[in-house]
Amino acid sequence: MKTKFLFLAIACVFTGIIFHSCNTQPAKITVDISRSPFEKLSDYHFFVGTLNELKPNDRLIPYDLITPLFTDYAFKARFVYVPEGKSAPYDTSQVLQLPVGSCLVKNFYYPEDFNKPEGKRRIMETRLLVHREKGWDNLDYIWNDEQTEALLDNTGGIKKVAWTHYDGAKREIDYLIPNKNQCKSCHWRNDASFSPIGPKIRNLNRDYAYADGTENQITHWIKAGILSNAPTGEHPKIANWADSAHYSTDQRARAYLEMNCGHCHNPKGPAYTSGLLLNIDNTNLENLGICKSPVAAGKATGGRLVDIAPRDNEASILVYRMESDDPGIRMPEIGRSILHVEGVALIRQWINEMKYPACATR
Ligand code: HEC
Ligand code: HEC
């Protein structure tokens, strides 16, 4: 009797070990909104295999935007997670309303060589937006130098990063990591408090090369069940700011301003009081900056009188502020420390080609 029991016990332990070691299924993604955030990025199980390869786990869907935000030339790898059985209703009027329990994941990295973006890279930070019962929580995980883990850090900071630019030149910058409060400067909306910015139908309406083939992102989200009530047919689409073969200068400039300025310069955004509305839906020319006097004079105007003077870049405050590195002048006011050469060139071209009459005030 005793030996039989002992045998059973050994057999149980043994099968337990076997079962455990055979069970190589990756752990499921854990976004537990009832507990405080994990200290380590790996604890969420967003990625399988080696963490810094950012290979998405089940239910984590990678996505790209047609026109993104410029952040000191950083590359970005974005992902969305929506809990099983839940979805965001199709809505073209605003950012998609992802359900409670969802998480948006945005990784910032620099390839060593920009002309070999798939090659060796340095990941700087992984920003998360987690949809809790009370609203969106913003978290930042900063990667260690070994690139093996990223740890929760609310204080932000500066890290040096170097790369070889598109033109073959070596570049090095002080990369700025925002603190928890600074996320608000861009993600805050007067009516909805903290909000995601990017996932809008018109900005998602493009192809993505998924692991199992290329597909339109809207189609993919519908098939994955995370987007519901979508109508059939065409979906709206924003211009690709960098694609001059398919879009006019005006379309590209408006898309660029929407994504780089519109999250603050819109009727519900933190720059509303400036009266300058750079969101793509704005049709009022004065609010767009055409012949508009700034709300405050002072050094931030560079002595110029209007935000946009048609066909006159050198008289336009908009260009002056986009070209400035001075924290008290530059636009966007945070999120960049170096100039976006190509972005400024586009806005200059846009102003140059404007058909509006010259401003009377000058
Ligand atoms: C300078 C403005 C700015 C700051 C500061 C900022 N963000 Fe964002 N963020 C954006 C914009 C614009 C987008 C959408 C465009 C894009 O992803 O290129 C975005 C996108 C995101 C996304 C992807 C989902 C979405 O909303 O589109 C996450 C996650 C995110 N931000 C988290 C954070 C966190 C966390 C912080 C603070 C540590 C932060 N952001 C600071 C402007 C900002
Ligand atoms: C993080 C929020 C934020 C972003 C992003 C941002 N701005 Fe601003 N902007 C402000 C605030 C706040 C003011 C009002 C205070 C001031 O003039 O500095 C302002 C004022 C301005 C003004 C003066 C407007 C007036 O009539 O008084 C211009 C021009 C301007 N921004 C251009 C831009 C451009 C162009 C971009 C994008 C490339 C941009 N801003 C992005 C916050 C932002």
Side-chain angles (χ1 to χ4, degrees):
M1 195 62 190
K2 217 171 163 190
T3 31
K4 201 173 167 192
F5 179 74
L6 195 70
F7 174 77
L8 261 176
I10 291 171
C12 283
V13 169
F14 193 65
T15 36
I17 291 169
I18 300 256
F19 182 74
H20 188 76
S21 55
C22 293
N23 184 12
T24 49
Q25 285 289 320
K28 282 194 169 168
I29 292 179
T30 319
V31 180
D32 184 352
I33 51 168
S34 65
R35 51 155 290 161
S36 50
F38 290 121
E39 289 301 317
K40 296 193 304 221
L41 181 63
S42 57
D43 287 340
Y44 292 90
H45 302 292
F46 285 133
F47 305 108
V48 290
T50 312
L51 190 63
N52 67 16
E53 285 173 12
L54 304 180
K55 201 167 161 256
N57 199 348
D58 228 19
R59 297 204 66 78
L60 190 72
I61 302 180
Y63 72 92
D64 253 340
L65 301 175
I66 295 178
T67 287
L69 168 73
F70 171 79
T71 315
D72 287 352
Y73 290 104
F75 284 55
K76 293 155 185 183
R78 302 176 186 77
F79 300 87
V80 58
Y81 166 77
V82 177
E84 197 147 14
K86 292 193 176 186
S87 63
Y90 182 93
D91 185 348
T92 53
S93 69
Q94 56 178 341
V95 68
L96 290 174
Q97 303 292 294
L98 295 163
V100 169
S102 300
C103 184
L104 289 152
V105 183
K106 188 177 177 190
N107 306 277
F108 290 66
Y109 66 94
Y110 287 84
E112 273 184 4
D113 183 345
F114 276 18
N115 291 313
K116 294 181 191 130
E118 308 296 333
K120 206 162 178 274
R121 66 180 173 188
R122 165 123 181 249
I123 310 175
M124 310 303 290
E125 47 173 334
T126 298
R127 299 184 190 171
L128 301 188
L129 292 182
V130 178
H131 201 176
R132 297 180 182 278
E133 293 286 354
K134 283 194 187 132
W136 289 91
D137 191 11
N138 53 309
L139 306 166
D140 206 354
Y141 290 80
I142 302 183
W143 283 74
N144 59 15
D145 292 341
E146 300 77 39
Q147 298 279 285
T148 51
E149 185 60 273
L151 299 180
L152 181 63
D153 188 330
N154 292 328
T155 56
I158 293 177
K159 274 200 172 192
K160 282 222 178 306
V161 63
W163 71 92
T164 303
H165 205 60
Y166 297 107
D167 58 6
K170 294 253 180 269
R171 292 268 192 116
E172 190 185 61
I173 58 160
D174 287 327
Y175 178 85
L176 291 172
I177 299 170
N179 64 37
K180 197 170 169 82
N181 245 337
Q182 286 171 320
C183 315
K184 270 195 202 150
S185 328
C186 297
H187 283 271
W188 194 261
R189 272 178 28 195
N190 299 343
D191 63 336
S193 51
F194 207 95
S195 165
I197 301 173
K200 292 185 179 163
I201 294 289
R202 62 176 174 230
N203 211 356
L204 290 168
N205 189 5
R206 55 167 282 174
D207 283 351
Y208 189 94
Y210 297 99
D212 55 356
T214 297
E215 189 168 39
N216 176 280
Q217 295 186 131
I218 307 290
T219 312
H220 193 85
W221 287 34
I222 296 168
K223 279 192 197 161
I226 67 167
L227 186 61
S228 50
N229 301 335
T232 48
E234 288 285 300
H235 308 293
K237 192 172 185 173
I238 200 172
N240 177 345
W241 76 283
D243 180 359
S244 56
H246 296 96
Y247 300 100
S248 69
T249 310
D250 184 57
Q251 289 172 320
R252 290 162 58 215
R254 289 302 300 265
Y256 183 86
L257 294 173
E258 154 85 4
M259 290 313 293
N260 285 275
C261 325
H263 46 281
C264 289
H265 288 273
N266 76 74
K268 292 167 188 162
Y272 174 58
T273 47
S274 72
L276 182 65
L277 303 179
L278 300 173
N279 55 307
I280 204 160
D281 305 311
N282 171 38
T283 51
N284 178 299
L285 293 184
E286 191 182 353
N287 288 137
L288 185 59
I290 315 268
C291 302
K292 174 189 177 302
S293 315
V295 287
K299 74 164 186 174
T301 64
R304 304 175 184 195
L305 300 176
V306 291
D307 288 340
I308 295 176
R311 290 178 306 288
D312 193 349
N313 283 300
E314 302 308 319
S316 302
I317 299 171
L318 202 97
V319 173
Y320 178 74
R321 297 191 71 163
M322 282 179 77
E323 279 185 338
S324 173
D325 283 339
D326 182 330
I329 300 174
R330 71 166 175 231
M331 282 291 150
E333 47 181 11
I334 54 168
R336 79 163 174 90
S337 55
I338 54 173
L339 192 67
H340 189 198
V341 179
E342 300 78 6
V344 176
L346 172 63
I347 299 307
R348 277 183 174 274
Q349 185 190 350
W350 178 58
I351 294 177
N352 260 345
E353 292 175 6
M354 277 182 176
K355 300 276 187 292
Y356 309 114
C359 305
T361 47
R362 290 181 305 116

